[in-house]
Amino acid sequence: MKKVEESSIAVAIGAKLARVQVFPMYPITPSTHIQEQIAEYVNSGELEAELIDVESEHSALSAAVGAVAAGSRTFTATSSQGFALMFEVLPIASGMRLPIVMAVANRALSAPINIWNDHSDSVSARDQGWIQLYVESGQEALDTTIQAFKIAEDKNVLLPVMVNLDGFSLTHVFEEIDEPEQKEVDAFLPAYKPEHFLDVKNPKTFGPIAFPDSYMEFKKQQQDAMIKSLETIKKVNSEFAKKFGRPYGNGLIDTYKMADAKFAIIAMGTVCGTARVVVDELRKKGKKAGLIKLRCLRPFPTEDLLRATKGLKALGVIDRHVSLGFEGPLFADLKAVLNSNLKMAGFIAGLGGRDVSMKHLHKVFSEIEKAKPKGSWLL
Amino acid sequence: MAKEKNKREKKAGQKLTLGAVILEPGSTRNYHTGAWRVYRPVLDNSKCVSCSNCWKVCPDAAIKRTPEGKFYIDYTYCKGCLLCLNECGVKAIVKEVEVK
């Protein structure tokens, strides 16, 4: 059913259609509309689920760990400082191999206090064993929330998934969305049936200590599962596309006019929409511009990016986060894996809600056309 | 890889399940913390007044009782923290250096 909805509501619809059973949540701007809408679903009886009012985000994610360990499909949402408060529990959720799905309404970290969008919250947690997907539209936010459970609960994966959407510039934007039928979502996403779960009749121990003789083996298992999940993310994306008619690239990356492109931008989230318009403008002028939208930051889709950048002369990398004292993390990752003949420049953009305008992206394209492009902060 | 995993599992003494879930309850019993001991508390039953102070404070539940009510130390699990020695009101517990 088509309707006009705010993207936060689209995420809540996704969680409802996924038949989530437990919602431990603590509201924080700009993720609050997600929690409010879910609370309304539970309050009105439209969704039969347990909503746990907790006293902090640390407790929200801790309760999510317990709920999934007990065998329930579980969802939570947060932003920024709330996300930072959850940090201690992030590696616990992934280390215990619990398929929690969490929406992160990406927002800058303090100080100075700032409630607006950048990717510094989630990107700084990229090493904590969560699959990180970044979405661009309300529709993609809804669809990815459903996909996220299927990816997370896959027997080859069993890892938590973050669905990242830009705070305000996506969470608070109204768009036309197509709400899938419950029946179809049920067919796509069967109930969560874990092999091991907390059960008083069949006691097991979750979250024990691992000594130096086995800790590394458990981490290796996680790493292997992360790498394997690249295939699962692609598979789930194509299954979703077949059923609902909406593909998001190959699930890991999406490309725009890349077939013959010589100069391209790579970015995550809502900036990609602006970049498409800039690419179109440059194409009209006869320039071979293109866009790579990175949908999955972790696991890192190295092979797909190598394929997508084949034949490219230069790549401008947009990071909405900076590893202070070094450079943009996406830029660093890409330099590590892409062909050394490819000219690359990293641009720090849109921190703390600073608008990333067409002018900025034109500047990126004109810079990477130079013989020796130099990265900069798009102020 | 599978061979390596088997070797590791054998060394760790248990299956390396996903997320380190332990499938058998009570598996801690198989972990003999007595091997950690540097000092061994020794209980002299002729001085013991069965006040049960040591039994209450032992963090490893390694102070046990015979059916007749006599206290004794289970050296399979006693880590040698000597809390029992500190708390004993009648000095019925002494320490000895563990020699193996």
PDB file of all heavy atoms in Angstrom, chain A residues 70 72 74 92-93 104 111 178 181 236 255 276 288 315 337 358:
ATOM      1  N   ALA A  70      16.983 -15.209  24.850  1.00  0.00           N
ATOM      2  CA  ALA A  70      15.810 -15.995  25.242  1.00  0.00           C
ATOM      3  C   ALA A  70      15.009 -16.451  24.024  1.00  0.00           C
ATOM      4  O   ALA A  70      13.990 -17.118  24.158  1.00  0.00           O
ATOM      5  CB  ALA A  70      14.930 -15.180  26.182  1.00  0.00           C
ATOM      6  N   SER A  72      13.809 -14.386  21.356  1.00  0.00           N
ATOM      7  CA  SER A  72      12.823 -13.466  20.772  1.00  0.00           C
ATOM      8  C   SER A  72      13.442 -12.610  19.680  1.00  0.00           C
ATOM      9  O   SER A  72      14.599 -12.211  19.781  1.00  0.00           O
ATOM     10  CB  SER A  72      12.289 -12.504  21.837  1.00  0.00           C
ATOM     11  OG  SER A  72      11.929 -13.194  22.984  1.00  0.00           O
ATOM     12  N   THR A  74      14.159  -9.215  18.272  1.00  0.00           N
ATOM     13  CA  THR A  74      14.302  -7.997  19.077  1.00  0.00           C
ATOM     14  C   THR A  74      14.837  -6.836  18.245  1.00  0.00           C
ATOM     15  O   THR A  74      15.713  -7.017  17.404  1.00  0.00           O
ATOM     16  CB  THR A  74      15.243  -8.267  20.268  1.00  0.00           C
ATOM     17  OG1 THR A  74      14.732  -9.366  21.005  1.00  0.00           O
ATOM     18  CG2 THR A  74      15.359  -7.071  21.181  1.00  0.00           C
ATOM     19  N   ILE A  92      29.434  -7.292  22.966  1.00  0.00           N
ATOM     20  CA  ILE A  92      28.828  -8.425  23.686  1.00  0.00           C
ATOM     21  C   ILE A  92      27.753  -9.050  22.796  1.00  0.00           C
ATOM     22  O   ILE A  92      27.698 -10.262  22.618  1.00  0.00           O
ATOM     23  CB  ILE A  92      28.245  -7.970  25.040  1.00  0.00           C
ATOM     24  CG1 ILE A  92      29.380  -7.470  25.952  1.00  0.00           C
ATOM     25  CG2 ILE A  92      27.465  -9.092  25.700  1.00  0.00           C
ATOM     26  CD1 ILE A  92      28.921  -6.886  27.273  1.00  0.00           C
ATOM     27  N   ALA A  93      26.920  -8.192  22.195  1.00  0.00           N
ATOM     28  CA  ALA A  93      25.862  -8.682  21.304  1.00  0.00           C
ATOM     29  C   ALA A  93      26.456  -9.461  20.137  1.00  0.00           C
ATOM     30  O   ALA A  93      25.977 -10.540  19.779  1.00  0.00           O
ATOM     31  CB  ALA A  93      25.027  -7.511  20.798  1.00  0.00           C
ATOM     32  N   VAL A 104      19.946   3.033  13.704  1.00  0.00           N
ATOM     33  CA  VAL A 104      20.720   4.144  14.236  1.00  0.00           C
ATOM     34  C   VAL A 104      20.393   5.382  13.407  1.00  0.00           C
ATOM     35  O   VAL A 104      20.659   5.416  12.208  1.00  0.00           O
ATOM     36  CB  VAL A 104      22.240   3.863  14.218  1.00  0.00           C
ATOM     37  CG1 VAL A 104      23.010   5.049  14.800  1.00  0.00           C
ATOM     38  CG2 VAL A 104      22.569   2.598  14.988  1.00  0.00           C
ATOM     39  N   ALA A 111      31.556  16.784  22.157  1.00  0.00           N
ATOM     40  CA  ALA A 111      31.176  18.175  22.184  1.00  0.00           C
ATOM     41  C   ALA A 111      31.711  18.883  20.928  1.00  0.00           C
ATOM     42  O   ALA A 111      32.654  18.365  20.346  1.00  0.00           O
ATOM     43  CB  ALA A 111      31.780  18.840  23.431  1.00  0.00           C
ATOM     44  N   ASP A 178       6.022   2.522  -0.133  1.00  0.00           N
ATOM     45  CA  ASP A 178       5.143   1.409  -0.475  1.00  0.00           C
ATOM     46  C   ASP A 178       5.245   0.400   0.662  1.00  0.00           C
ATOM     47  O   ASP A 178       6.286  -0.216   0.840  1.00  0.00           O
ATOM     48  CB  ASP A 178       5.613   0.795  -1.810  1.00  0.00           C
ATOM     49  CG  ASP A 178       4.597  -0.199  -2.348  1.00  0.00           C
ATOM     50  OD1 ASP A 178       3.613  -0.480  -1.624  1.00  0.00           O
ATOM     51  OD2 ASP A 178       4.793  -0.684  -3.472  1.00  0.00           O
ATOM     52  N   GLU A 181       2.733  -5.985   2.048  1.00  0.00           N
ATOM     53  CA  GLU A 181       1.669  -6.728   2.728  1.00  0.00           C
ATOM     54  C   GLU A 181       2.284  -7.634   3.802  1.00  0.00           C
ATOM     55  O   GLU A 181       3.335  -8.242   3.574  1.00  0.00           O
ATOM     56  CB  GLU A 181       0.914  -7.615   1.722  1.00  0.00           C
ATOM     57  CG  GLU A 181       0.160  -6.856   0.648  1.00  0.00           C
ATOM     58  CD  GLU A 181      -1.032  -6.099   1.209  1.00  0.00           C
ATOM     59  OE1 GLU A 181      -1.639  -6.592   2.187  1.00  0.00           O
ATOM     60  OE2 GLU A 181      -1.340  -5.015   0.680  1.00  0.00           O
ATOM     61  N   VAL A 236      19.990 -11.974   0.220  1.00  0.00           N
ATOM     62  CA  VAL A 236      18.758 -11.428   0.802  1.00  0.00           C
ATOM     63  C   VAL A 236      18.256 -10.260  -0.055  1.00  0.00           C
ATOM     64  O   VAL A 236      17.056 -10.126  -0.302  1.00  0.00           O
ATOM     65  CB  VAL A 236      18.991 -10.995   2.267  1.00  0.00           C
ATOM     66  CG1 VAL A 236      17.833 -10.171   2.798  1.00  0.00           C
ATOM     67  CG2 VAL A 236      19.217 -12.222   3.149  1.00  0.00           C
ATOM     68  N   THR A 255      25.345   1.273  -7.799  1.00  0.00           N
ATOM     69  CA  THR A 255      26.124   2.155  -8.671  1.00  0.00           C
ATOM     70  C   THR A 255      25.192   2.990  -9.539  1.00  0.00           C
ATOM     71  O   THR A 255      24.068   2.581  -9.837  1.00  0.00           O
ATOM     72  CB  THR A 255      27.069   1.351  -9.580  1.00  0.00           C
ATOM     73  OG1 THR A 255      26.299   0.396 -10.311  1.00  0.00           O
ATOM     74  CG2 THR A 255      28.140   0.633  -8.774  1.00  0.00           C
ATOM     75  N   ARG A 276      23.688  12.010  -7.222  1.00  0.00           N
ATOM     76  CA  ARG A 276      23.083  11.569  -8.491  1.00  0.00           C
ATOM     77  C   ARG A 276      22.759  12.773  -9.372  1.00  0.00           C
ATOM     78  O   ARG A 276      22.986  12.755 -10.584  1.00  0.00           O
ATOM     79  CB  ARG A 276      21.800  10.768  -8.237  1.00  0.00           C
ATOM     80  CG  ARG A 276      22.067   9.333  -7.939  1.00  0.00           C
ATOM     81  CD  ARG A 276      20.796   8.481  -8.024  1.00  0.00           C
ATOM     82  NE  ARG A 276      21.076   7.208  -7.386  1.00  0.00           N
ATOM     83  CZ  ARG A 276      21.030   6.993  -6.085  1.00  0.00           C
ATOM     84  NH1 ARG A 276      20.644   7.956  -5.276  1.00  0.00           N
ATOM     85  NH2 ARG A 276      21.341   5.826  -5.581  1.00  0.00           N
ATOM     86  N   LYS A 288      32.309  12.096 -17.936  1.00  0.00           N
ATOM     87  CA  LYS A 288      31.963  10.706 -17.572  1.00  0.00           C
ATOM     88  C   LYS A 288      32.001  10.525 -16.060  1.00  0.00           C
ATOM     89  O   LYS A 288      32.928   9.957 -15.498  1.00  0.00           O
ATOM     90  CB  LYS A 288      32.909   9.752 -18.284  1.00  0.00           C
ATOM     91  CG  LYS A 288      32.751   9.853 -19.802  1.00  0.00           C
ATOM     92  CD  LYS A 288      33.077   8.590 -20.511  1.00  0.00           C
ATOM     93  CE  LYS A 288      32.449   8.635 -21.905  1.00  0.00           C
ATOM     94  NZ  LYS A 288      32.955   7.604 -22.771  1.00  0.00           N
ATOM     95  N   LEU A 315      38.703   8.684  -7.970  1.00  0.00           N
ATOM     96  CA  LEU A 315      37.576   8.479  -7.059  1.00  0.00           C
ATOM     97  C   LEU A 315      37.649   9.495  -5.919  1.00  0.00           C
ATOM     98  O   LEU A 315      38.687   9.653  -5.279  1.00  0.00           O
ATOM     99  CB  LEU A 315      37.636   7.050  -6.486  1.00  0.00           C
ATOM    100  CG  LEU A 315      36.522   6.614  -5.544  1.00  0.00           C
ATOM    101  CD1 LEU A 315      35.183   6.532  -6.267  1.00  0.00           C
ATOM    102  CD2 LEU A 315      36.851   5.254  -4.912  1.00  0.00           C
ATOM    103  N   VAL A 337      42.481  -1.166  -0.201  1.00  0.00           N
ATOM    104  CA  VAL A 337      42.054  -2.292  -1.057  1.00  0.00           C
ATOM    105  C   VAL A 337      42.012  -1.978  -2.550  1.00  0.00           C
ATOM    106  O   VAL A 337      42.101  -2.888  -3.366  1.00  0.00           O
ATOM    107  CB  VAL A 337      40.678  -2.859  -0.620  1.00  0.00           C
ATOM    108  CG1 VAL A 337      40.758  -3.405   0.795  1.00  0.00           C
ATOM    109  CG2 VAL A 337      39.564  -1.845  -0.746  1.00  0.00           C
ATOM    110  N   MET A 358      25.183  20.584  -3.675  1.00  0.00           N
ATOM    111  CA  MET A 358      25.651  20.242  -5.020  1.00  0.00           C
ATOM    112  C   MET A 358      26.971  20.946  -5.311  1.00  0.00           C
ATOM    113  O   MET A 358      27.845  20.397  -5.976  1.00  0.00           O
ATOM    114  CB  MET A 358      24.584  20.627  -6.045  1.00  0.00           C
ATOM    115  CG  MET A 358      23.372  19.719  -5.947  1.00  0.00           C
ATOM    116  SD  MET A 358      21.973  20.291  -6.909  1.00  0.00           S
ATOM    117  CE  MET A 358      22.623  20.211  -8.556  1.00  0.00           C
TER     118      MET A 358
END
